[in-house]
Amino acid sequence: MKHTIVLLPGDGIGVIVLNESVRVLKKAGFEADYIYGDIGWEFWKKEGNALPERTIKLLAQHKTALFGAITSKPKDDAVAELDTSLKDKGFTYSSPIVGMRQLFNLDICIRPCKSYKGNPLNFVRRGRTGAIEEPAVDVVIFRQNTECLYSGVEWSNPPDPVYQAFMTHPKFRQNFGNVPREDLAISSRIFTRKATERILMAAFEHAAKYGYKSVTVCEKPNVIRETSGLMLKLAKKIQKEKFPSIALWDTNIDAQMMWLTKNPEDYGVIVAGNMFGDIVSDGFAGLIGGLGFAASANLGEQVAVFEPTHGSAPKYAGYPIPIVNPIAMIEAACLMLDHLSETDKASRIRNAIKQVIAEGKVRTYDMMRFTGSPDVIDKGAASTVKMTDAIIEKL
Ligand code: NAI
Ligand code: MG
């Protein structure tokens, strides 16, 4: 079957790495029609909308997108850069990636963190005998992508009905009842049963499909009783009724961040709400090489968007020879292939990356621990294109 893929290059290095991932997909024999969609800063400046309606239509029609990265700026800076004809017309900037997640309810975020042998950025630790150990990390984080502290239900100086509702809670009255209202900032942590069940089911199904022995709920139910508590309660029910052969562990986010450098190899699938999922996935990504290696899938019931975790890194966008690591974006393309059941092509690409890293001859500047600058190429770092070429050669 021939697929149609919407390509959303976005800004800065997003444009560069997206093109590299398409080169790899083509070489791997992935048959697709590619359609470019407009997204990002350029469209904010020209049209007052970083996610134009025509792009939303493309996504709704074709369902699958590869996304580079966008540039976001604070509200006032954004307005200052608007085209003069659009100024003072009431345009306000909002992030197109957050927009896509909300519009298409991309509520399941998958962030795999698997170390490649030979990656000089891999986490190492001192073992019991004093020898240096390099544990093989293979963790997949399932992050709820639409709720929790990211739902945008928040107030500074809350209006009457909100304030009065909070005052009905004894703990609020006791601890904050004397605080002047204009000194209050409130952000709400909202979990729903449906979305929580969906992220948990996705996590367990992934563990079952790929042979992970445990699913760890990483929250804080002893303190955040209602929301974290709901997730843990539902996880226990789902495990008991549907996945009895997969172990259910639960960790607190704070302890998990400590343990992830102690025994990262012990974890398999980890599932968390939006905020803690964001934190724990960056934590694990750091163990496997950081932003040059971390990718994610954003899955809704209809639409799926695949992206590297990194942003547009504007300072590296204008280099005559691009230096950034394309692997995160290529990993995002592999997640897309998994999603489209093109798993053989995904594993061929991952194998090619594995070989290039194991050989250690071609390394981008981040893998050599250089500070990014145009002269890293002269110092022996591979360019973006050279890294992609090396992967393609292995294919
Ligand atoms: P960033 O991820 O763009 O870059 C941070 C640093 O990480 C870079 O300076 C570079 O040293 C390194 N880096 C990033 N990608 C790399 C790669 N592929 N290979 C090697 N090194 C890499 O984050 P930053 O600088 O905080 O944000 C820049 C812009 O990107 C902002 O406007 C921000 O809002 C946006 N952003 C967009 C995201 C998205 O599109 N999903 C995610 C994060 C930031
Ligand atoms: Mg993050």
Side-chain angles (χ1 to χ4, degrees):
M1 182 193 146
K2 196 162 185 192
H3 301 280
T4 301
I5 306 300
V6 180
L7 299 177
L8 304 171
D11 303 305
I13 65 164
V15 182
I16 296 165
V17 293
L18 184 86
N19 283 336
E20 297 303 289
S21 73
V22 173
R23 284 210 292 138
V24 173
L25 284 169
K26 287 181 177 163
K27 191 67 189 180
F30 178 63
E31 296 280 330
D33 290 324
Y34 294 99
I35 304 180
Y36 280 89
D38 297 335
I39 192 168
W41 200 247
E42 188 190 332
F43 302 97
W44 160 252
K45 287 199 295 189
K46 279 199 305 215
E47 302 175 25
N49 187 357
L51 181 63
E53 199 58 39
R54 58 188 180 279
T55 306
I56 296 168
K57 279 196 182 129
L58 272 182
L59 284 167
Q61 185 183 350
H62 300 296
K63 318 274 189 248
T64 312
L66 263 184
F67 169 51
I70 47 88
T71 295
S72 275
K73 294 186 189 178
K75 234 160 120 184
D76 297 344
D77 300 5
V79 170
E81 288 194 34
L82 266 181
D83 190 283
T84 35
S85 67
L86 299 175
K87 282 209 175 117
D88 309 319
K89 296 247 164 74
F91 289 100
T92 46
Y93 180 79
S94 63
S95 156
I97 178 68
V98 176
M100 283 193 289
R101 283 178 193 154
Q102 285 166 354
L103 266 169
F104 295 108
N105 193 26
L106 306 177
D107 63 332
I108 292 171
C109 178
I110 310 179
R111 296 186 163 196
C113 295
K114 184 170 179 172
S115 50
Y116 282 108
K117 224 175 173 161
N119 183 350
L121 300 177
N122 282 346
F123 167 71
V124 295
R125 71 178 169 221
R126 203 174 286 286
R128 195 171 291 143
T129 63
I132 298 293
E133 300 171 345
E134 188 177 312
V137 178
D138 182 1
V139 165
V140 189
I141 290 114
F142 280 71
R143 166 189 175 190
Q144 206 295 325
N145 221 11
T146 48
E147 303 190 335
C148 191
L149 284 169
Y150 292 67
S151 49
V153 184
E154 43 185 9
W155 305 266
S156 289
N157 190 8
D160 277 346
V162 175
Y163 184 73
Q164 278 146 18
F166 271 98
M167 284 297 267
T168 65
H169 198 292
K171 289 225 168 102
F172 186 89
R173 269 203 313 278
Q174 188 190 322
N175 296 319
F176 306 104
N178 296 326
V179 178
R181 221 198 287 188
E182 61 274 19
D183 290 352
L184 283 171
I186 301 174
S187 303
S188 3
R189 192 176 206 261
I190 304 174
F191 281 36
T192 64
R193 175 187 295 272
K194 183 180 173 202
T196 307
E197 273 172 354
R198 267 176 58 78
I199 194 73
L200 287 165
M201 279 301 291
F204 274 104
E205 279 165 3
H206 191 91
K209 184 170 172 190
Y210 294 98
Y212 290 95
K213 64 181 194 324
S214 65
V215 169
T216 302
V217 172
C218 179
E219 280 285 325
K220 185 100 182 173
N222 53 335
V223 177
I224 315 175
R225 293 172 188 279
E226 301 306 325
T227 46
S228 293
L230 175 70
M231 181 170 272
L232 184 58
K233 189 175 80 183
L234 291 173
K236 284 179 179 164
K237 185 164 181 279
I238 289 171
Q239 189 266 349
K240 193 170 162 212
E241 290 173 5
K242 298 196 164 94
F243 300 92
S245 62
I246 296 171
L248 173 63
W249 298 346
D250 76 284
T251 57
N252 286 338
I253 177 67
D254 46 346
Q256 180 70 71
M257 293 310 285
M258 185 174 59
W259 289 332
L260 69 81
T261 54
K262 198 168 161 233
N263 58 339
E265 69 271 44
D266 290 348
Y267 299 95
V269 171
I270 293 180
V271 58
N274 209 341
M275 181 83 256
F276 296 160
D278 197 10
I279 293 171
V280 76
S281 60
D282 273 13
F284 273 96
L287 305 180
I288 60 129
L291 289 176
F293 292 86
S296 62
N298 302 280
L299 311 179
E301 278 168 300
Q302 302 289 326
V303 172
V305 178
F306 303 86
E307 57 168 336
T309 303
H310 63 74
S312 61
K315 61 181 175 190
Y316 300 152
Y319 283 17
I321 302 173
I323 63 163
V324 293
N325 192 343
I327 290 179
M329 184 77 235
I330 296 169
E331 291 283 344
C334 289
L335 287 171
M336 181 187 78
L337 291 174
D338 288 342
H339 176 71
L340 298 171
S341 300
E342 299 271 9
T343 43
D344 56 325
K345 294 186 182 76
S347 44
R348 282 184 52 226
I349 295 172
R350 289 185 179 116
N351 263 322
I353 298 172
K354 188 171 157 182
Q355 286 175 52
V356 171
I357 294 177
E359 280 178 7
K361 287 189 287 205
V362 180
R363 286 176 172 171
T364 43
Y365 83 95
D366 52 324
M367 298 174 74
M368 303 183 82
R369 297 184 190 274
F370 291 153
T371 303
S373 74
D375 66 2
V376 295
I377 306 289
D378 298 332
K379 293 199 277 182
S383 68
T384 308
V385 171
K386 196 169 170 198
M387 174 56 90
T388 314
D389 285 345
I391 294 165
I392 284 176
E393 199 186 302
K394 297 296 177 196
L395 283 170

